[in-house]
Amino acid sequence: MNKYCIFTLAYLCMSISLTAQNKDWIKTFSKDGKTKVDYTVYYIEDEAGKKQQILEYKAEKKTNATIDQCVTLMKNVALHTQFLTDAKESRLIDQISDNEWTVYYYFNAIWPLSDYDSATKVTQKYINENEVQITSTAALNVIEDKGVGRLQINESIYTFTKVDDKTTNIKLWVKVQPTIQAPKWLIKTQFPKLPAGIMQKMAALAAEM
């Protein structure tokens, strides 16, 4: 392969990579200015060549709780309905190990969307003594079909980082494919309100653990 071909191939690979990562992030804050929220909406093609909507967001907030309190909240799956917006049901499916488990959620969606559910596999990882990550990915077949749309793409990462002995910084990243495409006007009404609400409720609950 000559130098020209190598250069052309490298340029094409770089162009494809940049295009794939070119997301228009909207950067916002909650009304009280205490919760940072960035979000983006884009579309991908599924295996059938059909366009699918992807909603991705990042949120960040400090809580007056320790990392252990935050992890305790995350492992108490029954409490997740108290901070996850529209979650009617949250329950443990299987405790695989101390650091791995599966979870089922049922959501009462707001109009004009339809109710949906989610089955996920969750993994806890200690990055270092001052940071813990809890990652979840879709695990579609760990529970039977409940007769509603199930999230096919549903990924999240909670990162808990120690600030001091009484304070933890919480970062949340979520990537989800809605079961029904959400109209733009609905998305605008839910951001930054939806992620900010999740973070505010989570921060308050963690402090009670």
Side-chain angles (χ1 to χ4, degrees):
M1 185 180 291
N2 61 38
K3 290 183 179 180
Y4 176 78
C5 289
I6 294 172
F7 174 80
T8 303
L9 181 60
Y11 177 78
L12 286 172
C13 290
M14 182 177 69
S15 298
I16 292 170
S17 176
L18 289 173
T19 300
Q21 298 176 24
N22 185 19
K23 302 172 186 175
D24 295 323
W25 286 91
I26 299 173
K27 300 179 182 297
T28 63
F29 280 88
S30 58
K31 285 185 177 180
D32 64 7
K34 295 181 179 180
T35 306
K36 180 182 178 183
V37 177
D38 300 341
Y39 69 97
T40 182
V41 181
Y42 55 97
Y43 297 84
I44 62 172
E45 281 193 4
D46 61 18
E47 293 179 355
K50 184 178 179 181
K51 271 191 174 183
Q52 299 293 345
Q53 185 182 56
I54 300 294
L55 176 61
E56 194 172 339
Y57 66 81
K58 298 179 285 188
E60 184 173 358
K61 181 178 175 59
K62 289 183 174 63
T63 178
N64 295 321
T66 64
I67 288 180
D68 286 344
Q69 286 175 294
C70 294
V71 171
T72 297
L73 173 61
M74 294 303 298
K75 287 190 168 184
N76 194 335
V77 177
L79 292 179
H80 292 193
T81 56
Q82 296 185 31
F83 67 84
L84 289 178
T85 305
D86 300 327
K88 179 183 179 182
E89 180 183 355
S90 58
R91 62 184 171 92
L92 182 70
I93 300 172
D94 184 27
Q95 185 73 49
I96 301 168
S97 69
D98 287 344
N99 296 317
E100 195 171 64
W101 58 96
T102 52
V103 177
Y104 175 77
Y105 297 105
Y106 186 98
F107 294 89
N108 281 339
I110 59 174
W111 184 87
L113 306 180
S114 300
D115 288 2
Y116 62 95
D117 68 5
S118 169
T120 61
K121 183 177 181 180
V122 185
T123 304
Q124 174 184 324
K125 180 181 180 182
Y126 285 90
I127 306 302
N128 55 55
E129 63 180 5
N130 295 317
E131 188 168 276
V132 175
Q133 273 190 351
I134 294 182
T135 303
S136 70
T137 56
L140 304 179
N141 300 318
V142 295
I143 195 169
E144 69 275 9
D145 187 347
K146 299 293 185 178
V148 295
R150 180 159 295 174
L151 295 177
Q152 302 296 300
I153 297 175
N154 184 24
E155 304 173 17
S156 67
I157 301 175
Y158 295 83
T159 304
F160 304 104
T161 306
K162 179 180 178 179
V163 177
D164 56 42
D165 289 342
K166 297 181 179 179
T167 310
T168 299
N169 190 64
I170 305 174
K171 287 184 179 180
L172 171 60
W173 170 81
V174 172
K175 178 181 177 181
V176 64
Q177 176 191 322
T179 55
I180 299 175
Q181 290 195 14
K184 289 182 180 179
W185 64 262
L186 179 61
I187 294 171
K188 287 182 179 179
T189 66
Q190 296 302 303
F191 286 84
K193 179 176 70 173
L194 186 150
I198 290 173
M199 298 296 275
Q200 289 161 3
K201 292 173 186 175
M202 183 190 298
L205 280 169
E208 297 174 3
M209 292 295 103

